[in-house]
Amino acid sequence: MPTAEDNGINKHKSMETYALLKQRGNECFKSNDFKASLEHYTQGIINAPTYCVKESEKGEHVTEYPLAILYSNRSAACFRIKEYEQCILDVDRAFANGEHGHAREIKLLCRLAWAYWHLKQFKRCAGVVDRLLKQQNGKKYKEVDVLKALLERNVDKNDNLYLKSEPIGEEVFEKEYTFDNKQLNGASSNVQLSYEPEKGRFLKTKYGLLPGDGIISEETYCGVLNRKYIGQYCNYCFTECALHGIPCHGCSKALYCNEKCRLKAWNVYHWLECSMWPILQQVDAFAHVALRVILHGAYEFSLKNKNMKESDCEKDAEPYPFLCIAADLHKLYPPVVNKATKNKKKGKIKQQQAATPPPNVNKNGIDPESHVYNGDYWSIYCLQTHANEHLKTVLAKSTLYANYIAKVLNQCFPGRGKKQSNTSKNPPNGCSTKVAETANVIRSTFMRLSFKEMQANCCRHSFFEIEPLKKRVEGVCEQMAVNAPNPSVKQRNLFMSKELPQTFQSIISYLLRHHILQLYTNSQAIFNVIRDNMHKDEEVSTLQQQRIATALFPTTSLLNHSCSANTVITFKGRKTLIRSTRTLNVGDEISHSYGPCISRHCYEDRQEILSKQYFFTCHCDSCLKYEQGDSDERAFLQQFTAYKCKKCEGPAVIMEGSFKNEVIMGKCLNVECETIQDLTEASTRYNNIVHITQVIAQRLYKRQYNEGLGMLKRCLSGMDEILYKNHQSKSNIHDQLAYCYTHLRDYKSAAKHVKESLKTTSMRFGTMSMEAARESFKVATLYFNANMPGEAKVFLNKTIAVYKKILPDNSEEIRKAEQMLATLKAYREQFANYPKSPSFKVE
C-alpha cells in the first residue's frame, strides 16, 4: 500500500496534507473504489491535525475538525464494503473528535443505525433511532421513517436476536492459551526450568507432551516494527491496520489498531518516541528495541510503587524506585573481577558481562524468595550478552549507538541543578546528586505526559502546547540527527569504560549497550503470513512469512536450539504461541530452532551459522548422529539440487572444485552406483532453462497465459531429462503451470501440478509441516473449484489435521479451511445424488 511519504506528502501533520488525501479518498469513493478510498482516508487521518482555526469570508474564526470529517468519510467507505463493525467504530470516533453540523449528525446516526441493523443488533439500532427522532427538530427524514417501520415490524418478534459480538482475535487467544505455571511466566504447568553447566538454563517437560500441546504463550516484553511496515501495522500490538488504523495525536508516524493500543504505547514508550523520530531513523532496530526495554523497565517499576499519585509529580519527594536508574536498576555495584579468567598471554582481566542485580533477584532473573521467573525487566537484563565473544565491529557499533542515544537523552532531560538539602532524600550510595535530579525530571515527565489529559484536550487544544517537552525533544533530536555518527566509519574510543558509571548519560549508555548486545542472540523475529504480490488473491497464491517486527520474549529466550526442534512457533499480534510437534516423554528437553535446521541446511552450514551468530557448537541429536557417521544429511539436501545420473537416474551432484575447470564433473550419490560423470552439458542446459523461466515470468505478469503454458511445458520436459526427480526447480515449474491453468479455468490440471509440487515439499519438510499443509490446501482449493468435492475433502482433512497441531484454533488459515469443509458437507447434503468421485467417502 502506498504511504504518504511515497507520494511526497508532508511527514508532519498539516492541513495541506489532510486536504490532498481527503480529495484523493473522495475521488476513489465516487468511482466506487472503496478499498482505495479507505487507504487514502487512513493516510489522511495519520497526517491530519486534530483541529484548525480558519477565518471565514465574514472575518469570523471558524474551527474545523479534520479528524472528525475523515473518520466520518471512512465510516461511509466501511459501510459500502459491509465492514459494519468497523463502520460503527469510525462513527463513534467521528463524534469523539469534533463537532458536526446538524445534517452531518443525522447522516452519521442513520449510518450507525443501519450498521447495527445489518449486524442484527436490534436493541442498539432502536436506541439510535430514538436519538434520531429526538434530533429531527420537526423535520422528517425518509431514512429514519424506514428504520422505524422496520423496527416496529421486527423488534417485538425478534427481540432475542440482539446479538452480542462473539469474542474474536486477541480475546479468544487469551482465553484459550493462558497457562497457569506458577514458576515460569507464560509457560504451561507441564514445563519446568532446569540448569546444566554445559547447557545453561533450559526448559524440559514435567509430565510429557503430545503433538499440538501448548507449551508457552507469552506477550513480548517489547518490540519494534520493521521500518517498511510502519504505517501498515499497529505500533504496539503488530497487527495489520493499514485500512482502519488510528494515529498518534502528536506525530504522523505511529499507527494503532485501536485506542487501547494507542494508550498502552503512549504510557510505556511513545511519550518520548513521538518527538524522537529524527534520531530513531539514524539507528538500527536493535538500538531502538534497547531504548524501549529501558522505557518499559521504568514504566514497570512505576507500576510497582502502589503509593505513586499524579499529584506527587510536582513535589520534591524522594525519587521513585524506577526513576533513579542508577540506584534502582543497577545499584551501581562495582564490576566483579574473576581472577581465574585472567588471560596469561595478554595479561588482561576479563570483566563480568552484566552488572550484579539487586539483592532480591539472582543472576538467572529468578526471585530467590518466590522462586518465580516473572518475565519482568530483570528477566530481560539477566539474559546473556556474550560481550567477550562478539566481533570488534559489533561491539563498536553497539557502543556507538548507545553513546549516541544517551547523549541525546542527556540533552533532552537536563538536571535541575538544585541539590537536595534533606539528608533523607539524598541519592543512594554511589549515585551522584546530578543523576538523582535528572531522575526526578524524568519522573515528572512520566507523570505530566498523561494520555488521559491528552485525550481530554485534543479537540480544543494542541496537547503539545500544554506540554513544552515536545519542542525541546524535537529541537534536540533534529540538531543531533544532522551530525549522527556513521557506524561504517572507523571510530576511536568507542568501547565502554570499565570505570563505574556515575552520570545519567554514562548509565543510559551502559544499559543501552548491554541490551543491544543481548538482542544479537536473544531477539525473536515476529512473522506474519503474507501472500506474494504476483499471485495475490489467487487459488495458487504462495503464502510467505515476512518479518514484520523484532521483539524480546523472556520465557521463549530460555529455549535451547536444536536442528530438529520439537516445537513450532506462531504469532498473534504481540503474543507468541509455542506448541509441540511430536510426543515428548517426562524430562525431555524442549527445543526451538534458532534458524538453521536439517530441512534447509547441511551440518557444516548449521555449525558455521550457530558459531558465528550464537557462539556455540550444536550437539543436538541430529548433529550427534552426523558426527557419529549414522546419517548423511548433506546427501538428503543435495537431492533437491541434484542432476540425474546418466547410469541409474539417481541424484548426481557436482564434485568440489569442478567449477574451476572447463569440464564440470559430478558423482552419483547412490551408494550402489557412485558413477563419476561429465555434467558440463547438463549444467549448461539447466542454466539456459532458468533464463527462459525468467522470461516466462514476465509474460505471466502480462497475463499471456497460453504462451507461458507452452513454454513452461517445454522447460519441464527439458528438466525431466537432466534433473533428478526431486529437484526443487521442477517443483517451481509445476507451481507456475498450476498458476497458468488456474487463470485458464482448468482447475483439474492445475491441481495435478500442485500435487507434484506437494510430493517434493512433503519429502523435504515432512508431511506434518506447515509447508506441506499449505500446498495441500492449494490442492483442496483447486479441486473445490473444479467441482470435485471428494478429492477436495481428502486434502482438506489432511490440511486441517496439520493446522490444528501447529496454529492457534482461532487462526485465519484454520477458519478458511473449516469453512470450505462445511461448504462441501452442505453441498453433499443438498445434492445427495450427484456423481461421487472414487475417493469420496460418506461418513
Side-chain angles (χ1 to χ4, degrees):
M1 186 193 76
T3 62
E5 289 186 43
D6 296 332
N7 293 295
I9 296 173
N10 193 346
K11 297 180 183 179
H12 303 286
K13 294 182 183 291
S14 68
M15 288 299 292
E16 292 79 10
T17 304
Y18 150 73
L20 176 60
L21 290 166
K22 176 189 172 186
Q23 180 184 356
R24 291 179 183 176
N26 291 345
E27 290 172 356
C28 293
F29 188 90
K30 290 176 182 177
S31 61
N32 295 328
D33 190 354
F34 302 118
K35 186 174 181 180
S37 68
L38 277 177
E39 295 177 358
H40 292 304
Y41 287 145
T42 301
Q43 287 299 319
I45 288 168
I46 294 173
N47 290 276
T50 305
Y51 77 100
C52 178
V53 179
K54 290 184 175 181
E55 188 173 340
S56 65
E57 295 178 356
K58 298 180 180 180
E60 300 176 349
H61 290 284
V62 180
T63 304
E64 184 177 347
Y65 301 97
L67 281 179
I69 295 172
L70 286 172
Y71 279 127
S72 174
N73 290 358
R74 196 171 74 174
S75 70
C78 290
F79 187 88
R80 289 297 188 92
I81 60 177
K82 300 182 180 181
E83 293 184 355
Y84 300 117
E85 292 182 354
Q86 191 62 46
C87 171
I88 292 169
L89 291 174
D90 281 342
V91 170
D92 290 341
R93 290 164 182 161
F95 281 116
N97 280 277
E99 300 174 356
H100 300 270
H102 179 71
R104 182 181 287 273
E105 281 192 15
I106 296 295
K107 187 185 294 186
L108 281 170
L109 289 173
C110 286
R111 189 177 301 146
L112 182 64
W114 278 115
Y116 281 132
W117 174 267
H118 285 295
L119 291 174
K120 297 183 179 181
Q121 298 186 9
F122 300 125
K123 285 186 178 179
R124 291 184 179 181
C125 179
V128 178
V129 170
D130 289 341
R131 184 178 171 184
L132 279 166
L133 293 172
K134 293 177 182 179
Q135 294 187 14
Q136 287 190 91
N137 296 333
K139 183 179 180 181
K140 291 189 176 182
Y141 294 90
K142 182 178 179 180
E143 202 166 356
V144 178
D145 294 336
V146 171
L147 281 166
K148 183 180 178 183
L150 286 172
L151 287 170
E152 288 175 351
R153 289 200 303 266
N154 291 278
V155 167
D156 292 339
K157 298 178 182 178
N158 300 300
D159 191 46
N160 60 331
L161 290 180
Y162 163 57
L163 303 177
K164 183 178 180 181
S165 298
E166 292 294 327
I168 57 175
E170 200 71 21
E171 297 178 13
V172 172
F173 195 91
E174 291 179 2
K175 182 180 178 180
E176 294 184 358
Y177 301 107
T178 301
F179 298 131
D180 56 352
N181 192 317
K182 297 180 180 179
Q183 305 299 321
L184 280 171
N185 174 64
S188 164
S189 58
N190 199 3
V191 178
Q192 58 184 347
L193 180 63
S194 187
Y195 174 84
E196 291 181 9
E198 299 81 8
K199 295 182 178 181
R201 293 179 294 173
F202 64 95
L203 302 181
K204 65 180 183 179
T205 62
K206 189 181 294 185
Y207 311 113
L209 290 166
L210 295 174
D213 284 352
I215 298 174
I216 297 173
S217 176
E218 65 171 334
E219 186 173 337
T220 175
Y221 188 80
C222 66
V224 169
L225 273 174
N226 287 356
R227 286 177 184 171
K228 70 176 182 177
Y229 293 116
I230 293 175
Q232 298 184 42
Y233 287 81
C234 179
N235 191 42
Y236 182 77
C237 72
F238 311 132
T239 56
E240 191 171 7
C241 58
L243 297 180
H244 307 110
I246 61 173
C248 167
H249 287 298
C251 69
S252 58
K253 284 285 186 180
L255 187 69
Y256 301 95
C257 58
N258 55 45
E259 288 79 3
K260 184 179 178 181
C261 283
R262 183 169 63 181
L263 174 61
K264 287 183 177 179
W266 181 268
N267 287 338
V268 179
Y269 52 78
H270 196 65
W271 64 270
L272 177 61
E273 288 184 359
C274 187
S275 306
M276 282 191 69
W277 288 110
I279 295 299
L280 298 178
Q281 295 295 321
Q282 306 295 329
V283 300
D284 62 11
F286 284 174
H288 193 174
V289 176
L291 176 62
R292 284 193 179 178
V293 169
I294 295 175
L295 295 175
H296 193 287
Y299 178 73
E300 176 186 298
F301 288 124
S302 72
L303 295 179
K304 291 180 180 178
N305 192 326
K306 298 179 181 179
N307 298 321
M308 186 173 64
K309 298 179 181 179
E310 192 169 348
S311 58
D312 292 335
C313 66
E314 299 297 334
K315 298 179 181 179
D316 257 336
E318 185 177 357
Y320 291 115
F322 78 101
L323 289 167
C324 192
I325 299 176
D328 239 54
L329 294 188
H330 275 292
K331 297 295 182 183
L332 286 182
Y333 290 132
V336 178
V337 176
N338 187 354
K339 295 183 179 180
T341 62
K342 185 173 181 179
N343 189 319
K344 295 182 179 180
K345 292 184 178 180
K346 297 184 179 180
K348 294 182 179 179
I349 298 178
K350 294 184 179 180
Q351 180 179 318
Q352 244 188 9
Q353 60 187 16
T356 308
N360 63 334
V361 180
N362 69 14
K363 64 180 180 180
N364 288 325
I366 302 173
D367 190 326
E369 295 180 1
S370 62
H371 302 286
V372 174
Y373 184 84
N374 293 313
D376 55 8
Y377 177 81
W378 277 111
S379 299
I380 295 294
Y381 186 87
C382 294
L383 295 174
Q384 290 292 321
T385 62
H386 297 281
N388 297 323
E389 297 169 291
H390 283 289
L391 296 174
K392 289 184 178 180
T393 53
V394 172
L395 294 172
K397 183 180 178 181
S398 302
T399 306
L400 180 67
Y401 283 145
N403 290 342
Y404 176 50
I405 296 176
K407 187 175 181 180
V408 173
L409 294 181
N410 191 49
Q411 293 191 27
C412 291
F413 305 111
R416 285 191 253 183
K418 183 176 73 172
K419 293 185 178 180
Q420 298 178 6
S421 57
N422 191 340
T423 56
S424 63
K425 297 179 182 179
N426 285 338
N429 294 334
C431 180
S432 65
T433 304
K434 183 178 179 181
V435 174
E437 290 171 351
T438 305
N440 274 327
V441 175
I442 299 177
R443 177 206 55 198
S444 300
T445 303
F446 263 109
M447 297 302 296
R448 285 202 304 270
L449 287 179
S450 160
F451 198 87
K452 181 179 179 181
E453 179 185 6
M454 175 178 175
Q455 288 282 65
N457 292 281
C458 68
C459 294
R460 292 293 181 185
H461 308 283
S462 169
F463 169 72
F464 290 110
E465 288 177 3
I466 298 172
E467 178 52 62
L469 177 68
K470 174 180 167 63
K471 292 183 179 179
R472 174 173 184 83
V473 175
E474 251 187 359
V476 171
C477 290
E478 289 177 359
Q479 181 182 1
M480 294 292 290
V482 175
N483 299 317
N486 187 350
S488 63
V489 178
K490 190 174 182 180
Q491 305 285 345
R492 294 182 179 180
N493 302 322
L494 287 180
F495 294 96
M496 301 292 289
S497 171
K498 292 183 179 180
E499 296 179 1
L500 186 67
Q502 295 286 341
T503 64
F504 171 75
Q505 182 173 333
S506 63
I507 292 165
I508 293 294
S509 181
Y510 172 85
L511 287 174
L512 284 169
R513 180 179 182 268
H514 178 83
H515 293 307
I516 291 172
L517 292 178
Q518 286 179 325
L519 286 161
Y520 278 98
T521 54
N522 292 285
S523 64
Q524 172 67 56
I526 293 180
F527 291 96
N528 191 29
V529 178
I530 300 174
R531 296 185 181 275
D532 65 335
N533 294 327
M534 180 178 176
H535 300 163
K536 197 171 184 180
D537 300 328
E538 302 289 346
E539 290 85 348
V540 292
S541 60
T542 302
L543 298 175
Q544 299 176 339
Q545 283 191 328
Q546 297 290 336
R547 180 173 183 157
I548 63 169
T550 302
L552 270 173
F553 294 91
T555 306
T556 302
S557 296
L558 298 176
L559 291 172
N560 279 347
H561 167 80
S562 173
C563 298
S564 54
N566 50 36
T567 60
V568 64
I569 184 169
T570 53
F571 300 96
K572 181 70 176 179
R574 286 176 60 87
K575 289 198 170 184
T576 181
L577 173 63
I578 298 178
R579 305 174 82 171
S580 60
T581 56
R582 55 179 179 262
T583 302
L584 298 178
N585 298 320
V586 177
D588 283 353
E589 182 178 356
I590 303 170
S591 59
H592 173 54
S593 174
Y594 290 1
C597 60
I598 58 174
S599 61
R600 288 187 172 90
H601 306 86
C602 65
Y603 172 82
E604 291 81 1
D605 291 342
R606 298 199 306 269
Q607 295 294 351
E608 183 179 1
I609 295 171
L610 293 170
S611 177
K612 285 184 177 180
Q613 185 172 354
Y614 297 100
F615 313 110
F616 70 89
T617 300
C618 183
H619 295 295
C620 67
D621 293 341
S622 297
C623 291
L624 286 176
K625 287 181 180 179
Y626 180 87
E627 292 168 2
Q628 295 169 1
D630 292 342
S631 64
D632 190 355
E633 294 169 2
R634 178 185 290 275
F636 171 77
L637 291 174
Q638 284 179 332
Q639 68 175 312
F640 302 108
T641 56
Y643 293 91
K644 182 189 290 186
C645 176
K646 297 177 182 179
K647 184 178 179 180
C648 68
E649 297 188 353
V653 297
I654 297 174
M655 299 172 65
E656 294 183 6
S658 291
F659 284 110
K660 297 178 182 179
N661 305 320
E662 295 181 359
V663 179
I664 299 176
M665 301 300 295
K667 181 181 179 180
C668 180
L669 296 179
N670 193 336
V671 179
E672 298 177 356
C673 181
E674 295 186 346
T675 302
I676 296 177
Q677 52 204 279
D678 186 354
L679 295 178
T680 307
E681 182 183 353
S683 178
T684 303
R685 286 185 62 185
Y686 174 67
N687 291 332
N688 291 335
I689 293 174
V690 170
H691 175 72
I692 294 173
T693 57
Q694 295 173 355
V695 176
I696 296 172
Q698 296 176 359
R699 296 200 175 186
L700 296 182
Y701 183 76
K702 296 178 182 179
R703 301 182 181 275
Q704 299 175 1
Y705 304 116
N706 285 314
E707 294 181 16
L709 191 63
M711 296 175 68
L712 285 170
K713 286 181 177 179
R714 290 192 292 272
C715 287
L716 183 60
S717 177
M719 285 187 174
D720 284 336
E721 295 177 4
I722 61 173
L723 300 181
Y724 183 59
K725 61 181 180 181
N726 295 331
H727 199 288
Q728 187 63 49
S729 294
K730 294 176 65 175
S731 178
N732 297 337
I733 294 292
H734 282 296
D735 279 336
Q736 287 184 305
L737 282 166
Y739 178 67
C740 290
Y741 278 120
T742 300
H743 277 281
L744 297 173
R745 299 295 185 265
D746 187 352
Y747 298 111
K748 185 177 179 180
S749 298
K752 176 183 176 182
H753 285 285
V754 177
K755 283 169 68 177
E756 292 297 322
S757 178
L758 175 60
K759 291 179 183 178
T760 303
T761 303
S762 299
M763 181 175 291
R764 182 166 188 175
F765 300 103
T767 56
M768 299 300 291
S769 64
M770 279 298 297
E771 291 83 355
R774 284 169 178 155
E775 287 292 304
S776 182
F777 185 67
K778 283 186 192 179
V779 180
T781 305
L782 292 168
Y783 277 134
F784 180 86
N785 292 332
N787 196 21
M788 300 174 67
E791 284 78 0
K793 182 184 176 185
V794 170
F795 284 94
L796 270 177
N797 287 332
K798 292 179 181 179
T799 301
I800 294 173
V802 179
Y803 278 176
K804 288 193 172 181
K805 290 184 178 180
I806 297 178
L807 300 174
D809 293 339
N810 64 319
S811 69
E812 183 72 9
E813 292 181 74
I814 291 180
R815 186 189 65 79
K816 287 183 178 180
E818 290 184 335
Q819 185 177 11
M820 186 182 293
L821 188 61
T823 304
L824 287 174
K825 290 181 178 179
Y827 181 77
R828 184 187 62 183
E829 292 172 0
Q830 185 176 359
F831 302 98
N833 297 321
Y834 68 87
K836 300 179 178 61
S837 56
S839 61
F840 186 79
K841 297 179 181 179
V842 179
E843 294 179 355

